[in-house]
Amino acid sequence: MKKMHYLSIFPALVLILLQLPIAHAAPGVRSAAASMPVTHTIGLVLAAPVHVCVGATITLVDTAAGGHWSSRNAAIATVDTAGIAVGVAAGIDTVLYVVGTDTTITVVTIDAPPHAAPISGTPTVCLGSLTMLSDSVAGGTWECANSNAVVTGTGTVAGISNGVDTVLYIVTNICGADTARLSIMVATPPTVGSIAGLPAICIGAHDSLTDSIAGGRWHSLNPFVATIDSFSGVATGHAGGVDTIQYRHDNSCGTATATFTLNVVAPPLPGFIAGADTACVGASITLTDAAGMGLWTNHSPTRGAIDSFTGIYGALLQGNDTIYYIIANMCGTAIALHAIYNDSMKTSGSITGMDTLCAGSTTALTASVGGGIWNSSATMVASVDFTGNVSALGAGTCQISYLLGSACHSVSLFPLTVLPLPDAGIIDGPTGLCLPVNDTALLTSSSPGGIWSSSNPGVATIDSVGIIVASSYGSTTFGYTIQNACGISVDSFVFAVDIPVTAILGPATICQGVTTPNIFLGAPAGGNWNSSNFLVAAVVGVGGQGIVVGTAVGTAVISYSLTNTCGTTTTTEVVDVINCDTSKAAVGSAVFATIPKLVLFPNPAQYGRLFASYSAPGAVDATCTIRNTAGVTVWSGTLPTNMPIELHLDLPSGIYFVEAEAGGYRERAKLDIER
């Protein structure tokens, strides 16, 4: 059986003769390791790893003689019969030494020489700036050949001083060292000085600009105003305005720019003098010229004087004069002319006529000097025709002027006042109110300052500010009057004072089949009548009255409904329909000799004096109640049956409702008290 010897840890039995590689070669020169003779005892493996560089040799020795050497992978390493192994390519190979049936195995590592790839990055760095370099092979170290630049361990290069430096990237291993180089320029950023030259030139003129730093280029930012030669710096003006001239220096470290403001001045233009061509002696006029920035003067200082800056000209003597407007700048002088005639002053006379009118009226004004022109300062207030007839159009004041044809005639003025026509405006507010829920309301008018009045103060009054106070049911018309010197204006407003339905006045018992209708009164009037049983008692509404006819013996409920500012309210009255003939026969004709009736007289009652008579079967006294239109009891007492009695009532003027009841019979009547 063949015997194999593998890894063992007995280094004392091993003799290794090793020639180490050179530590560093000169920069940029690749180095290789020398051959390494090894003495190896059969059956034992070297304790230390066996390395050989590509192209180098190592001698393997075994203590057992007569054996045979071989390599398992000749593409990695070869070994001859003498045990000299040669590195062919980087990798790991196994070298065998066979003696008889025994085999010794030695693992040999073939190392490749180091290789630095070309350096990548910008070969220029600005003074005081940084640039990044890199190499595709990791693990190397960076160096600079001189002090123009410095480099960090990450390949960051900083420019220190102007000039050229060489950046080194060194890669080392057991087989030696390899160096990549890159020349790098440390450049200085560009600089410029200050631009010198004329700050202003005329259109068509030239300006030679200079800068203390040579080598730059000139540029115009507004070539419409001025252009400049890129190399010589000669600027030429083309149009009035302001241009910015730039001087630029460029290199790899950037651009430096100096600027210069150049004014291009256009020759002055005289413009056109605007203003009157006639001046009145003793008066002044103002002349203008749109060109501006000029000075005023005149040809004849004895005839007139003009302010040099404002253009105000004062006429001194009658005659002709010439006005000059002079504009000058660095590119020349321009003059505008204006002929003027100084005329003597004349009067337009005086105006007479009415100075106060009502709107819509007319008057005629008269001027003491004929041939002039009439005019109004406010045509919305008054207009005037060519003869002096004035039409007053709206309230306000204005000036009626009268001017003769010559510019040097004085203007006659006539102040005119137009008074407005009275206007009561439009009354606004509620059209009514409900008693007793509310007893006040407010009316307003679109025209202030008027006087309020009421056509029926017994129903409602109104004060000076339009506050209404209602005291009784009914209606009134409020008037609003405005009066001034031009007349009177009145507006009216109909106002209703409503109450809810308070009572039905009528007999509680009626006879069947009586052809004379029974009259029921509703308070207040204007509502709708209804019967709960038309087969017993039929009712027909006529205004505020209900005409009730008994058609059959029985009981019906008569109702009265009214809709007004109080809303919709209803009151009812139970009515018994009896057969009066049968009832008389049963109890005696004396009892039903008369139908119950309540009589009030005089009605209307004057100053509260009233006589009341209640006629009904029997001799039982009646209970009497008097209520106002709001349904409030204002008097109560007893009425003897079938005998008139005088009632002394201390009640204000108004409408009241009287009710008398005795022996199951009830009657009602309406009472009007006048004071």
Side-chain angles (χ1 to χ4, degrees):
M1 179 175 179
K2 180 186 271 186
K3 206 159 69 169
M4 303 290 290
H5 297 277
Y6 292 97
L7 181 62
S8 177
I9 54 174
F10 298 93
L13 302 176
V14 180
L15 176 61
I16 301 176
L17 300 176
L18 179 62
Q19 181 179 348
L20 295 173
I22 299 172
H24 290 286
V29 178
R30 305 180 187 277
S31 302
S35 61
M36 296 183 289
V38 176
T39 301
H40 184 208
T41 302
I42 192 71
L44 295 175
V45 180
L46 296 174
V50 178
H51 286 267
V52 65
C53 296
V54 174
T57 63
I58 186 171
T59 301
L60 305 177
V61 179
D62 198 281
T63 57
H68 173 70
W69 297 92
S70 64
S71 169
R72 283 186 175 176
N73 189 349
I76 301 298
T78 61
V79 63
D80 61 11
T81 58
I84 298 173
V86 179
V88 177
I92 298 175
D93 194 7
T94 302
V95 177
L96 307 176
Y97 183 70
V98 180
V99 179
T101 60
D102 291 332
T103 301
T104 299
I105 298 174
T106 300
V107 177
V108 180
T109 300
I110 311 303
D111 296 309
H115 174 70
I119 298 174
S120 300
T122 304
T124 302
V125 64
C126 296
L127 192 66
S129 299
L130 303 175
T131 187
M132 290 292 296
L133 302 180
S134 63
D135 196 288
S136 60
V137 177
T141 60
W142 295 90
E143 295 180 6
C144 280
N146 59 45
S147 60
N148 288 337
V150 293
V151 62
T152 67
T154 60
T156 301
V157 179
I160 301 301
S161 60
N162 192 29
V164 178
D165 204 341
T166 300
V167 178
L168 309 178
Y169 185 70
I170 304 169
V171 180
T172 61
N173 64 14
I174 194 172
C175 296
D178 189 27
T179 302
R181 292 175 169 80
L182 179 67
S183 292
I184 190 163
M185 171 65 73
V186 179
T188 303
T191 59
V192 292
S194 58
I195 300 175
L198 296 175
I201 59 175
C202 297
I203 294 176
H206 305 290
D207 189 4
S208 294
L209 304 180
T210 60
D211 191 278
S212 58
I213 306 298
R217 295 292 181 267
W218 298 90
H219 303 273
S220 168
L221 298 187
N222 190 356
F224 176 78
V225 173
T227 57
I228 189 167
D229 186 272
S230 300
F231 299 96
S232 68
V234 175
T236 302
H238 297 290
V242 179
D243 191 10
T244 299
I245 303 298
Q246 289 186 341
Y247 182 69
R248 303 175 189 166
H249 237 199
D250 302 309
N251 65 14
S252 58
C253 291
T255 300
T257 303
T259 60
F260 182 80
T261 299
L262 179 63
N263 289 287
V264 178
V265 181
L269 297 175
F272 175 77
I273 298 176
D277 56 6
T278 299
C280 301
V281 173
S284 63
I285 60 172
T286 300
L287 303 177
T288 60
D289 193 300
M293 304 303 293
L295 295 175
W296 298 90
T297 186
N298 63 315
H299 176 73
S300 179
T302 59
R303 286 198 173 95
I306 189 166
D307 187 277
S308 300
F309 301 97
T310 64
I312 298 175
Y313 177 80
L316 302 177
L317 294 175
Q318 185 174 358
N320 294 314
D321 200 353
T322 302
I323 306 299
Y324 304 102
Y325 187 67
I326 304 171
I327 304 175
N329 63 19
M330 59 179 288
C331 298
T333 301
I335 301 175
L337 304 177
H338 183 73
I340 195 167
Y341 176 73
N342 296 343
D343 197 2
S344 60
M345 289 292 297
K346 304 174 182 64
T347 179
S348 296
S350 60
I351 302 173
T352 57
M354 293 179 59
D355 60 0
T356 302
L357 298 176
C358 293
S361 63
T362 61
T363 190
L365 300 181
T366 303
S368 60
V369 178
I373 298 173
W374 295 92
N375 193 23
S376 170
S377 65
T379 55
M380 298 297 292
V381 175
S383 63
V384 59
D385 64 13
F386 68 96
T387 64
N389 291 321
V390 176
S391 298
L393 303 176
T397 59
C398 68
Q399 292 275 4
I400 303 298
S401 62
Y402 182 73
L403 175 66
L404 293 180
S406 172
C408 292
H409 279 78
S410 62
V411 178
S412 298
L413 299 177
F414 186 82
L416 179 68
T417 300
V418 177
L419 301 177
L421 294 176
D423 181 10
I426 299 174
I427 298 175
D428 186 31
T431 58
L433 54 76
C434 175
L435 289 175
V437 178
N438 294 306
D439 61 357
T440 62
L442 176 66
L443 296 183
T444 61
S445 174
S446 59
S447 295
I451 299 174
W452 294 95
S453 62
S454 173
S455 66
N456 192 349
V459 172
T461 60
I462 187 168
D463 66 9
S464 60
V465 296
I467 297 177
I468 299 169
V469 177
S471 58
S472 178
Y473 162 72
S475 66
T476 184
T477 299
F478 293 115
Y480 186 72
T481 303
I482 289 183
Q483 182 176 1
N484 64 12
C486 295
I488 298 175
S489 176
V490 180
D491 192 17
S492 60
F493 192 82
V494 178
F495 192 85
V497 179
D498 294 323
I499 60 172
V501 170
T502 57
I504 296 176
L505 302 178
T509 302
I510 63 175
C511 295
Q512 174 190 7
V514 176
T515 57
T516 301
N518 299 278
I519 305 301
F520 283 66
L521 298 178
N528 298 314
W529 295 89
N530 194 23
S531 171
S532 66
N533 191 343
F534 275 88
L535 297 178
V536 173
V539 61
V540 176
V542 179
Q545 295 182 345
I547 301 174
V548 180
V549 176
T551 57
V553 174
T555 301
V557 178
I558 304 300
S559 63
Y560 180 68
S561 298
L562 177 66
T563 300
N564 55 25
T565 55
C566 297
T568 300
T569 54
T570 303
T571 188
T572 60
E573 175 70 18
V574 177
V575 175
D576 294 323
V577 179
I578 63 174
N579 187 325
C580 294
D581 294 336
T582 303
S583 297
K584 289 178 182 179
V587 298
S589 59
V591 177
F592 290 96
T594 61
I595 299 298
K597 182 178 294 184
L598 176 63
V599 178
L600 304 174
F601 61 93
N603 194 4
Q606 298 292 325
Y607 304 104
R609 187 174 185 182
L610 174 69
F611 292 90
S613 173
Y614 181 68
S615 301
V620 180
D621 291 342
T623 300
C624 181
T625 303
I626 300 178
R627 297 182 178 89
N628 61 18
T629 55
V632 177
T633 300
V634 295
W635 185 90
S636 61
T638 301
L639 294 179
T641 305
N642 302 317
M643 182 178 69
I645 187 173
E646 183 177 1
L647 301 178
H648 295 279
L649 303 176
D650 186 15
L651 297 175
S653 298
I655 303 297
Y656 298 88
F657 302 99
V658 183
E659 179 181 279
E661 181 180 4
Y665 296 97
R666 183 171 60 251
E667 290 292 322
R668 294 186 178 91
K670 178 180 178 182
L671 172 63
D672 185 1
I673 295 180
E674 294 180 354
R675 291 283 181 179

